[in-house]
Amino acid sequence: MEAELMALIGTGATTVVGLMVTDAWGQAKQRVVGLFASGGESGGEPGELEESRTALVAAEGAADEEDLRSDVTASVRLRLRRLLEQDPGAAEELRRLVDEFAPAAPPPGTVHNSITGGRQDGPVVQGHTFTHLTFGTAGGTARDQTD
């Protein structure tokens, strides 16, 4: 299978699973069911999707939430792959679904941070992961002041 289709399948699976835990699922569900039905999948599809959605919603905030999300995404990815192998024309509908429902990427280079909640007397760091940060001070260290 082409790399472009594999990327579409991955994005499609992530988009479908992401939609399952949002209010947009009601709108997207019929499109997803229709997409799978176009490949000749059985009528059990809506029930399986709802079971997955129920499990994902119930797992929000739980220790195994990411594992469950990963498992459901892998299952949807496999189904999408089988669908596109059986019906290559379904790729266009999957592409439209992804374009319509995938979260928009933020424009590159645009960042705006703001700090609220009162006075800040020291450095403020916003981000994901930080290690080995060192901040210098104008007055020296506490040890310097006691000697």
Side-chain angles (χ1 to χ4, degrees), residues 46-140:
E48 291 175 32
L49 290 171
E50 280 306 309
E51 286 175 18
S52 294
R53 178 182 193 274
T54 300
L56 287 168
V57 170
E60 282 190 75
D64 65 341
E65 178 181 5
E66 283 304 312
D67 289 339
L68 179 61
R69 181 180 285 268
S70 179
D71 290 347
V72 173
T73 302
S75 174
V76 172
R77 187 181 312 111
L78 179 61
R79 296 179 86 160
L80 288 172
R81 182 179 180 145
R82 277 187 288 195
L83 169 68
L84 295 187
E85 286 171 350
Q86 294 170 0
D87 180 11
E92 190 54 41
E93 177 58 25
L94 178 58
R95 194 170 283 111
R96 282 193 298 269
L97 182 83
V98 167
D99 288 346
E100 183 176 343
F101 290 105
T110 302
V111 176
H112 176 77
N113 293 320
S114 61
I115 301 169
T116 61
R119 182 176 164 176
Q120 305 298 322
D121 291 324
V124 176
V125 180
Q126 295 178 320
H128 184 271
T129 304
F130 300 98
T131 58
H132 309 298
L133 293 178
T134 304
F135 298 98
T137 61

